[in-house]
Amino acid sequence: TSQVQRGLARLTPAQVDLKTAEVVQFIFVKDQKKIPIRRADIVKHVVKDYRNIYPEIMKSVGRTLDTVFGLMLKEVDVKNHVYILINKLEPPGGELLNMTPSNPKIGLLFVILGIIFMKGGVVKESMVWNTLKKLRVDPGDRHEDFGDVKKVVTDEFVRQRYLEYVRIPHTEPLEFEFRWGQRADTEVSKVKLLEFMGQLHDQDPQSWTQQYRDATSSQTVPVSQR
Amino acid sequence: GKEKASQLHAEGSSFDPSAFAENLLTFMGLNRLEDEGDQVEGGASSGYLPPDAWQRVANRAQCCFRTAPTFHYMMGSFLAELPPPRQRVE
Amino acid sequence: MARPLGESHKRFLQTMMANGIVDGDKARALHRHCCETHGAQYTPDKLDEFIEVINAQLQPMFMQIRKGLSEEDGLQYYALVNMAETDVTRMSADYADNELELFRKTMDLIVDSDNGTASSTDILNCADSLQTKKLKKKETEHVLNRLVQDKWLIEKQGEYSLSTRCIMEMEPYIRRIYQDQVKVCHICHNVALQCQMCENPTCGIKIHTHCVARYFKGRTDPRCPSCEDFWPHEIPEVYRPPSSQ
Ligand SMILES: [Zn+2]
Ligand SMILES: [Zn+2]
């Protein structure tokens, strides 16, 4: 280790900047598919011999993500050091919304998260599949926009941490239930979701008393203001 | 489950996933004129959804999501190699 | 010390990330909306200065918002590009290794052609001889569709060409890798792929289709600007965007 430390002593600010850039690139690559980022992978693939100054590098990474891109890393698994990249800017509205292309999967995600939220935080999978079938999305069939729907919902959305998909204990045959994942907790505004629900049902969002209370109370602990 | 549902009902409007699906189909631009009155399996309305149905939902739902934009590039995604010599006969 | 970015700059950059490329009109509208949304001072003619502030901060990340002309319509575009080629950037998971090899072979075909296009038949033939892993016909078509959707290729009646986004990001790469084959436009000096070529064998200069339109506009006897030979190609109309009537 003394050899490593001697190496570090010679590390110039320019070299730290270069490592910072590489870590940012790595985070962007992992985020292309919204896969959470593991500290172990950052060290293994990028930081390598500089692991002694990992905290300094990550401080610089955090500063760059914030001051240049308006983004930040959030630790979603403190034990295993797993992070997701989240946005510090408010979702675009008005004209800016029209200039931001959206992925149809966001629509699918809205439907599932919406049902879970409106039903108090947890639903059996059958309720989700039945509702999706009414929307012409069948987990058994290939869908035009989503491909293998069952895989997208129970694998992709789960790995991205939008959803939790867990077995209900003591059920025979096996039954599963859905909850919001940590990414949904940080990324999704319950107030705005409820507003959309109100628009769809032509109903005042406040008429869903319980959900309205939940949405407005959770809004007091935002990811970050500004 | 049941207890929670009735509790929710007592405290305000209930949420019916079937009504939700119906309203969402309308939002997606379902053309109900075709085969009016028919019901497909599962009791949902029949008719045709436009090809951009899910895009419509996504465009509206997007403002509920504070998702980081993703960065995509082509340069730098593969190792630069010289192409094989020209095979064309001049 | 580079100027710090405001929310308006960050919003602009994030929208560029989401779009990859936007045309000049859209970039100007975006500039305005970003400034208005975040209460920043908005100066209509200062888009390029606004972008310079962002680029100064992006430079250490080897990223850049680049301005360039489209070979398609001759209009101005802005694209967010990557400039780093490292082990980390090669981890990008958008395309598998054999899909990237297919893309490279498609580029070879396009650069090697006279007019900057490659036919789907020729590309499908390449797919049969990939070193990484062969692609079946259906798979190849699927990859080509994705490349078009992701704005790396353009398809017109079975002929593929490099998109504006692709050329803007890859121009340094194209000049380096294809230095013996690629020519620059005699008029605008940018890499010329979709273009017309002088038929005089001792000349053979290339001019972009849109540069041809502008250069020869209204001339009854078009002659090569280099060798004075008759220019034997059809002179296209100058493209007008639908919005500027
Ligand atoms: Zn030109
Ligand atoms: Zn000539």
Side-chain angles (χ1 to χ4, degrees):
Chain A
T1 48
S2 66
Q3 203 180 352
V4 175
Q5 262 152 4
R6 254 180 283 133
L8 285 174
R10 287 199 300 270
L11 217 60
T12 64
Q15 285 171 304
V16 175
D17 287 352
L18 210 57
K19 272 291 158 212
T20 302
E22 281 192 302
V23 174
V24 171
Q25 283 163 3
F26 184 77
I27 290 166
F28 282 165
V29 164
K30 289 287 151 196
D31 196 57
Q32 285 173 336
K33 289 191 156 61
K34 291 287 161 200
I35 304 298
I37 301 140
R38 299 160 52 85
R39 182 167 94 177
D41 287 333
I42 299 178
V43 173
K44 184 178 152 201
H45 295 293
V46 194
V47 175
K48 294 176 187 170
D49 293 341
Y50 299 111
R51 67 189 70 211
N52 300 43
I53 54 158
Y54 177 86
E56 280 94 314
I57 294 173
M58 289 313 283
K59 209 177 279 173
S60 162
V61 166
R63 198 162 47 232
T64 300
L65 289 173
D66 177 15
T67 60
V68 183
F69 299 95
L71 305 172
M72 71 178 272
L73 280 181
K74 187 188 170 179
E75 196 164 20
V76 288
D77 181 342
V78 182
K79 193 163 145 264
N80 297 300
H81 303 292
V82 180
Y83 306 89
I84 59 172
L85 187 64
I86 58 170
N87 205 335
K88 294 185 81 175
L89 301 185
E90 286 294 322
E95 284 298 319
L96 287 171
L97 191 61
N98 300 334
M99 293 185 175
T100 318
S102 57
N103 184 336
K105 280 180 186 168
I106 291 285
L108 180 62
L109 207 43
F110 160 76
V111 170
I112 302 169
L113 292 174
I115 297 169
I116 300 170
F117 172 63
M118 297 307 283
K119 281 291 175 188
V122 52
V123 295
K124 286 189 180 171
E125 66 171 331
S126 55
M127 182 182 278
V128 168
W129 302 131
N130 288 336
T131 311
L132 287 177
K133 273 182 201 158
K134 290 181 177 135
L135 300 168
R136 320 288 167 85
V137 179
D138 195 311
D141 294 340
R142 252 199 106 67
H143 187 271
E144 183 76 31
D145 292 308
F146 311 128
D148 184 343
V149 179
K150 173 106 189 192
K151 193 165 175 234
V152 169
V153 174
T154 62
D155 183 64
E156 188 177 322
F157 288 166
V158 172
R159 274 191 300 138
Q160 294 173 333
R161 313 246 175 162
Y162 276 113
L163 292 176
E164 279 178 15
Y165 179 66
V166 288
R167 207 195 137 176
I168 307 170
H170 319 300
T171 46
E172 191 59 48
L174 285 184
E175 275 194 87
F176 286 81
E177 61 188 15
F178 284 111
R179 291 169 195 271
W180 279 33
Q182 294 139 312
R183 188 188 286 276
D185 282 330
T186 28
E187 278 188 11
V188 181
S189 156
K190 289 176 176 170
V191 169
K192 286 183 175 163
L193 190 142
L194 203 55
E195 271 170 23
F196 188 11
M197 281 293 173
Q199 182 195 336
L200 286 170
H201 293 76
D202 197 14
Q203 198 172 321
D204 183 353
Q206 295 201 35
S207 65
W208 290 292
T209 328
Q210 189 77 39
Q211 292 90 332
Y212 185 75
R213 202 179 299 145
D214 181 1
T216 45
S217 68
S218 63
Q219 208 185 27
T220 55
V221 276
V223 175
S224 138
Q225 229 35 285
R226 297 185 342 108
Chain B
K2 220 172 210 170
E3 209 178 280
K4 189 145 199 179
S6 64
Q7 185 197 339
L8 280 176
H9 192 70
E11 287 198 34
S13 299
S14 64
F15 176 79
D16 173 16
S18 300
F20 171 54
E22 274 306 308
N23 290 327
L24 202 60
L25 283 170
T26 306
F27 182 86
M28 289 166 135
L30 181 75
N31 182 354
R32 295 179 197 267
L33 295 172
E34 317 276 339
D35 305 323
E36 207 174 347
D38 267 5
Q39 298 254 297
V40 292
E41 204 188 335
S45 294
S46 62
Y48 291 101
L49 278 177
D52 68 339
W54 282 98
Q55 192 66 54
R56 288 189 201 190
V57 183
N59 289 347
R60 173 62 181 82
Q62 199 184 188
C63 67
C64 310
F65 287 74
R66 194 198 277 264
T67 306
T70 50
F71 179 48
H72 302 272
Y73 54 89
M74 186 53 82
M75 229 283 292
S77 61
F78 50 82
L79 200 61
E81 278 175 78
L82 290 173
R86 276 166 175 251
Q87 284 163 9
R88 281 200 312 178
V89 187
E90 299 284 336
Chain C
M1 191 66 200
R3 270 176 61 191
L5 302 188
E7 307 271 274
S8 57
H9 297 102
K10 296 177 194 175
R11 176 77 70 188
F12 189 93
L13 176 56
Q14 287 198 2
T15 316
M16 288 302 298
M17 283 174 88
N19 283 277
I21 184 166
V22 298
D23 63 39
D25 283 346
K26 204 171 166 190
R28 279 180 284 278
L30 181 59
H31 176 210
R32 203 184 90 211
H33 289 306
C34 288
C35 290
E36 283 172 356
T37 303
H38 296 285
Q41 198 204 340
Y42 168 62
T43 325
D45 301 328
K46 299 284 186 212
L47 171 61
D48 286 358
E49 283 87 335
F50 183 82
I51 288 176
E52 271 320 303
V53 175
I54 301 173
N55 277 342
Q57 299 281 356
L58 279 178
Q59 200 200 339
M61 302 301 117
F62 305 96
M63 291 165 73
Q64 189 178 52
I65 298 174
R66 219 172 256 171
K67 178 173 160 178
L69 288 179
S70 159
E71 287 201 330
E72 283 294 290
D73 52 24
L75 298 178
Q76 209 148 61
Y77 283 79
Y78 291 85
L80 177 67
V81 303
N82 170 49
M83 298 188 293
E85 289 182 83
T86 67
D87 289 344
V88 176
T89 62
R90 280 191 283 276
M91 288 178 189
S92 174
D94 286 341
Y95 296 96
D97 284 346
N98 56 345
E99 295 169 343
L100 288 170
E101 192 187 347
L102 181 82
F103 177 77
R104 271 188 23 231
K105 297 237 161 158
T106 304
M107 276 185 88
D108 292 348
L109 288 170
I110 289 171
V111 174
D112 215 23
S113 71
D114 284 341
N115 59 355
T117 63
S119 72
S120 53
T121 325
D122 288 348
I123 301 173
L124 283 165
N125 282 339
C126 285
D128 220 30
S129 58
L130 296 179
Q131 288 173 0
T132 37
K133 185 169 175 271
K134 276 187 194 176
L135 283 164
K136 296 194 191 89
K137 184 164 184 279
K138 262 247 139 41
E139 295 169 330
T140 308
E141 284 165 351
H142 183 69
V143 177
L144 288 172
N145 277 340
R146 268 177 59 215
L147 286 163
V148 170
Q149 216 171 24
D150 295 346
K151 295 185 267 193
W152 300 117
L153 292 178
I154 293 172
E155 189 266 340
K156 268 184 203 150
Q157 287 142 17
E159 297 283 322
Y160 288 86
S161 48
L162 298 187
S163 71
T164 306
R165 178 187 191 185
C166 183
I167 295 173
M168 282 174 76
E169 184 172 69
M170 308 270 295
E171 168 140 13
Y173 174 92
I174 293 170
R175 284 182 189 259
R176 186 173 87 236
I177 297 293
Y178 301 104
Q179 47 184 317
D180 296 333
Q181 288 124 291
V182 81
K183 286 193 177 175
V184 295
C185 172
H186 191 82
I187 304 295
C188 72
H189 310 292
N190 288 315
V191 161
L193 295 172
Q194 291 188 68
C195 57
Q196 296 179 355
M197 200 167 131
C198 176
E199 289 186 356
N200 175 353
T202 62
C203 175
I205 61 148
K206 284 184 167 182
I207 305 181
H208 285 123
T209 320
H210 66 88
C211 290
V212 164
R214 246 173 267 177
Y215 185 76
F216 291 120
K217 190 180 172 217
R219 297 199 193 184
T220 45
D221 182 30
R223 298 203 159 263
C224 172
S226 175
C227 71
E228 301 274 300
D229 259 22
F230 179 66
W231 193 262
H233 308 281
E234 191 191 329
I235 310 299
E237 291 278 314
V238 175
Y239 176 83
R240 281 180 192 290
S243 57
S244 62
Q245 295 298 325

